[in-house]
Amino acid sequence: MKFSEFIKEVQNLQELAEGWRGKVYTGYWRGKKVAIKVAKAPDKVKAIQKEAEILEKLKGLKGFPQILFKGEDFFVYEFIEGKPFGKLKIGEEEKKRLLKEVLEKAYLLDRMGINRDEFSNIYKNVLVGDKGEVFVIDFDRGTFKKNPSNVRQFLQLLKREGFLSQEEAIELGKRYKENPEEVIKEIRKVLS
């Protein structure tokens, strides 16, 4: 089914955002508020299908979009109510708590062989819900990879945020390949 056919089933369809590969709409489908990501052009369909495939692997895991339906040039997932990480007005302790949750999601993706390719910049694509829950969204640059680099990218973010020096980030990144569990424990301590 193509998006042009699917929209007949959606109530209150509204454009929410536009990216390089697709547009995101919101609406109500089968009584549930949803987000719908649609390829902007025929040459972007493959990227949208790949993102849907990644979300299918993440189905049932807390903190990720929950895909409900996949069409030829679009997919539908449960709408996530939240505020972008970069727009939060929070103190240092809350920031550490949220970053620790992002770390856990990056580490989970690494173990699953999913490279999201954007953990060095989480300001727009990590949402925080009203109850403080963290959601990692937007996998349009994601790929399946033998050695994903989500945690190593996250180290760059911690350097930028002042939690690590350049040298510490590089050293932890090198050691992560050999002993990921030990490095994750060290990063958790930095964020405690």
Side-chain angles (χ1 to χ4, degrees):
M1 175 185 288
K2 288 192 179 277
F3 177 67
S4 56
E5 301 159 25
F6 179 76
I7 58 174
K8 296 170 188 165
E9 298 181 26
V10 180
Q11 288 79 47
N12 199 24
L13 186 71
Q14 296 176 25
E15 187 173 324
L16 177 68
E18 185 171 343
W20 188 71
R21 294 177 177 89
K23 287 186 177 187
V24 178
Y25 296 88
T26 61
Y28 289 86
W29 180 62
R30 298 184 177 171
K32 184 180 279 199
K33 188 168 186 183
V34 295
I36 307 160
K37 191 160 191 179
V38 186
K40 278 174 69 170
D43 65 325
K44 307 294 186 221
V45 169
K46 191 171 182 176
I48 295 296
Q49 290 173 340
K50 179 188 47 119
E51 185 173 0
E53 189 179 334
I54 290 170
L55 293 182
E56 286 177 332
K57 296 276 186 210
L58 297 172
K59 193 164 179 136
L61 296 176
K62 211 170 132 188
F64 299 101
Q66 295 300 299
I67 193 164
L68 301 170
F69 184 78
K70 183 169 89 169
E72 290 175 44
D73 58 349
F74 72 98
F75 60 87
V76 181
Y77 57 97
E78 292 178 14
F79 184 79
I80 298 170
E81 204 69 59
K83 194 177 235 185
F85 183 83
K87 292 193 176 185
L88 297 174
K89 305 275 190 259
I90 52 175
E92 196 71 10
E93 289 308 307
E94 179 65 0
K95 182 185 249 185
K96 284 180 180 180
R97 184 192 72 76
L98 295 173
L99 287 172
K100 202 187 279 187
E101 284 198 44
V102 174
L103 167 67
E104 299 304 333
K105 304 225 181 315
Y107 185 40
L108 173 64
L109 291 172
D110 276 358
R111 293 190 321 260
M112 292 179 73
I114 297 170
N115 194 62
R116 184 171 166 269
D117 198 32
E118 292 184 24
F119 272 101
S120 62
N121 181 357
I122 63 168
Y123 305 105
K124 288 191 300 185
N125 296 328
V126 167
L127 301 179
V128 178
D130 291 341
K131 297 175 184 156
E133 62 276 47
V134 172
F135 299 94
V136 176
I137 63 167
D138 202 1
F139 285 80
D140 70 339
R141 292 176 60 187
T143 55
F144 293 103
K145 218 174 182 183
K146 186 177 180 184
N147 294 309
S149 60
N150 298 301
V151 170
R152 291 193 301 273
Q153 291 170 28
F154 184 73
L155 290 169
Q156 294 171 28
L157 174 75
L158 292 181
K159 179 190 78 77
R160 190 176 319 119
E161 290 285 330
F163 291 103
L164 297 172
S165 69
Q166 174 81 17
E167 296 75 25
E168 289 170 322
I170 291 170
E171 189 262 333
L172 286 169
K174 287 178 182 175
R175 286 183 30 229
Y176 181 74
K177 273 185 151 180
E178 303 305 316
N179 196 342
E181 286 180 31
E182 181 183 302
V183 170
I184 291 298
K185 285 178 187 173
E186 289 183 45
I187 300 170
R188 286 178 186 139
K189 283 181 192 170
V190 167
L191 294 172
S192 291

